[in-house]
Every structure is written in structure tokens, then in C-alpha cells.
Amino acid sequence: MTSSAIAASGLRKAYKGKIVLDGIDLDVAAGTIFSLLGPNGAGKTTTVNVLTTLMKADGGTVRVAGHDVATETKAVRAAIGVTGQFAAVDDLLTGQENLQLMADLKRLRPGESKRVVADLLERFDLTESAQKMAATYSGGMRRKLDLAMTLVGQPRIIFLDEPTTGLDPRSRRTMWDIIRQLVAEGVTIFLTTQYLEEADRLADRIAVLDQGKLVAQGTPAELKRQIPGSHVRLRFADDLELASAVRVLTDSARDAEDDLVLRVPSDGGAKSVRALLAQLDAHSIEVEEFSVHTPDLDDVFLALTGRTRAKVNA
């Protein structure tokens, strides 16, 4: 059974009488990617601040890496790394000097420090630019350097706050690959992001926070299945085949964008799709092409919070 890297129970926090976190429960399995989503003001930043010992909760219990965040603060901080939304690199230092600074702060021995810095520069493809000032780095390079600095202390749990905001598609995918590699090595990732596609691609589990309460938790697939709208899209070669299909598939509806397409409600599973195609085949109705459509995380987010994805960022 996978152990918990982060466990929170009944977490509460209020500011000047306004409840920001209203008794939330979290359980993040070790060696997984957990993503926390929510609109502005939902309480995501407050949650991260409590989990990383930067803020005290008003109620509830939190254990990170097996340590109580309230009574074992130093042990929690020794086990975690935090990469904020904005790269915390020193523009007046080179990439190598930024990493060396972190190694010095972590009090690594000279030999170990040299090895760690060299390994991280190579791992993040920064060796050629190691002697360049960080001020000259591109956005993608700065984010990579920022994450590399977080890894100097070899944290078992990393909190990533919108790690790919502002990056171009290639840099974003590079960061995704790095995150996946970290998890493959046993690191736990707690991710907040304004890109729902990013959570969908990376997260093993997702929690949606709204107005201080968790309104849903589960795998991306589980969350999507909560939202109605899954259907199979069938395209026919001509009006005659389509008309025949309409008579057989009484719960179907014509597609608004294509006159030769029918939309048939379905859970999208292999068994139900096979049954649907078999039903058409039994009536000698030819299907030119078909595709399965399920709600995406945008639909989930809108249904659960009543807000569009434009308001996801914290």
C-alpha cells in the first residue's frame, strides 16, 4: 500500500472572520503528482502556505513527509522543496553561481557541492550556459534553473506553483518531462496550475477547491465521468445511411455542425462502443467513421465551480 506524503484532516483557516479553508481533507500518495485546482480566492495559495509551514492553520492536522507541520517544522522543511510562480533566481549571478549559492545554504561539503551542481547543470541541459548571467536566460531556462535550485537539497516532496506559466509550448513540454522524471525517481509533486490541460496530462489525482471547500477529488478520468455529456460521434457517407441510423438509434441526435453526423449518448467505454457498432452492423448500416467524446477538465471545472478556465489561476 502506498504511503501518504501529505495528509491533511479538517484543515481550517480564516482571515478577519472570513473562512478561507473550511475543513478540507487531503491525502497525497508518495511518488505521485497531485494537482490542486480552483478559481481566484478559492484557497489554493493558503493551502500551500500551510502545507509548507509558511502559515499556521486555525484548526485541523497536517502531516508532511510523516511530520506534523505545527510541531516538527524543521523536519518538514528539510523534506520539501518549493518552486514559486516566479523564478527565484539571482539575475546578477551565473547559473552555476545560483546553484552553488543553494549548495552553500544547504551546507554541502565542497566535494559533494561540486558534484551536485555539475549533475544538476547537466540534467537540466544548462551546462553550456552555466557561466552566463541568469539575467540573460530565457523564460524556460529560468524555470529550469529555479527547479534545479530546489533540487539541490534532494527534497522528497516538491511544491510547484504554476511552474509553466508564461512558457512557450516547447519549454512547457520540457518541464513536463522533467516533472515526470522526478516522479519516476520517487519524488512527490504537489502542483498548482492555471492550465487545466497540464493537470490532465500530469496529475495522478486532482482536487478542486472552491470557496474554501473541496468540491471534488479523484483521477482526471473519474472527475470527467462525473459530468454528463459523453457521447459517440458517428459519421455516415450519405443521408440514406444516416436516416437508417436515426430509426435504429432512437436516443441519437443530429450534430449541429455536420449534417451527416449523429451524436449518441454513451459512457465511452469499449464495451458500450462495441455494442453500438454491433447494433448498426446488425441492420447493415455502414459507419464511415466514429469517435468517442468525453467532457474535459474545462467542463469539469465549469460544472463544479460555475467559473470558466480563465479564472483558474490563483
Side-chain angles (χ1 to χ4, degrees):
M1 183 175 180
T2 305
S3 60
S4 295
I6 302 169
S9 177
L11 189 59
R12 300 181 62 86
K13 183 67 181 179
Y15 293 112
K16 298 180 180 180
K18 180 182 179 182
I19 297 176
V20 180
L21 298 178
D22 193 6
I24 70 172
D25 300 326
L26 293 173
D27 190 356
V28 180
T32 65
I33 301 176
F34 183 92
S35 183
L36 184 63
L37 303 178
N40 288 334
K44 298 193 305 299
T45 299
T46 300
T47 301
V48 171
N49 286 343
V50 170
L51 297 179
T52 57
T53 76
L54 297 176
M55 181 182 294
K56 290 185 178 180
D58 296 332
T61 59
V62 183
R63 298 188 73 82
V64 175
H67 303 289
D68 189 294
V69 298
T71 61
E72 302 173 275
T73 303
K74 288 186 178 180
V76 171
R77 291 178 178 176
I80 67 174
V82 182
T83 300
Q85 181 177 352
F86 304 101
V89 303
D90 190 326
D91 286 340
L92 300 180
L93 300 179
T94 65
Q96 182 171 335
E97 289 170 341
N98 269 285
L99 288 169
Q100 186 61 54
L101 174 62
M102 292 302 299
D104 293 342
L105 291 173
K106 294 291 184 180
R107 298 182 179 179
L108 300 186
R109 294 187 299 273
E112 182 183 9
S113 172
K114 183 177 181 180
R115 177 186 60 79
V116 168
V117 170
D119 287 348
L120 287 171
L121 287 171
E122 181 177 359
R123 177 175 187 173
F124 285 83
D125 196 24
L126 293 171
T127 302
E128 291 185 5
S129 54
Q131 304 306 320
K132 296 180 181 179
M133 303 287 282
T136 67
Y137 283 17
S138 66
M141 291 171 64
R142 289 172 63 84
R143 294 304 287 174
K144 288 196 294 183
L145 176 59
D146 193 27
L147 183 52
M149 291 167 64
T150 300
L151 295 181
V152 168
Q154 297 183 318
R156 293 147 54 191
I157 302 169
I158 299 177
F159 292 85
L160 297 179
D161 184 13
E162 301 187 14
T164 64
T165 297
L167 298 187
D168 61 76
R170 176 176 293 181
S171 297
R172 180 173 297 124
R173 292 180 186 279
T174 298
M175 186 63 70
W176 290 354
D177 290 340
I178 292 172
I179 292 171
R180 291 187 182 105
Q181 183 180 358
L182 288 170
V183 174
E185 296 169 0
V187 175
T188 303
I189 302 291
F190 190 101
L191 170 73
T192 67
T193 179
Q194 63 172 304
Y195 300 115
L196 300 182
E197 177 196 11
E198 185 164 86
D200 200 0
R201 293 281 191 94
L202 294 178
D204 297 293
R205 289 185 65 81
I206 293 172
V208 181
L209 188 64
D210 189 32
Q211 297 181 1
K213 295 183 179 182
L214 285 178
V215 294
Q217 284 195 71
T219 66
E222 288 171 345
L223 293 182
K224 292 172 189 175
R225 284 198 293 268
Q226 293 182 21
I227 309 301
S230 296
H231 64 277
V232 175
R233 191 171 184 270
L234 303 170
R235 194 175 198 286
F236 300 91
D238 53 49
D239 290 331
L240 183 61
E241 292 286 348
L242 182 136
S244 299
V246 169
R247 287 193 293 271
V248 172
L249 305 174
T250 57
D251 58 346
S252 65
R254 293 196 178 221
D255 189 271
E257 298 178 0
D258 192 326
D259 292 338
L260 293 177
V261 168
L262 285 183
R263 295 160 57 106
V264 184
S266 170
D267 61 10
K271 184 177 181 180
S272 59
V273 172
R274 282 198 300 268
L276 172 62
L277 295 178
Q279 184 180 7
L280 292 172
D281 188 56
H283 290 81
S284 301
I285 299 172
E286 295 289 335
V287 179
E288 190 171 65
E289 62 182 55
F290 76 93
S291 55
V292 177
H293 294 257
T294 58
D296 58 20
L297 280 185
D298 289 62
D299 300 315
V300 173
F301 189 85
L302 179 60
L304 293 174
T305 69
R307 295 164 174 84
T308 62
R309 67 177 297 171
K311 299 181 181 179
V312 176
N313 54 308

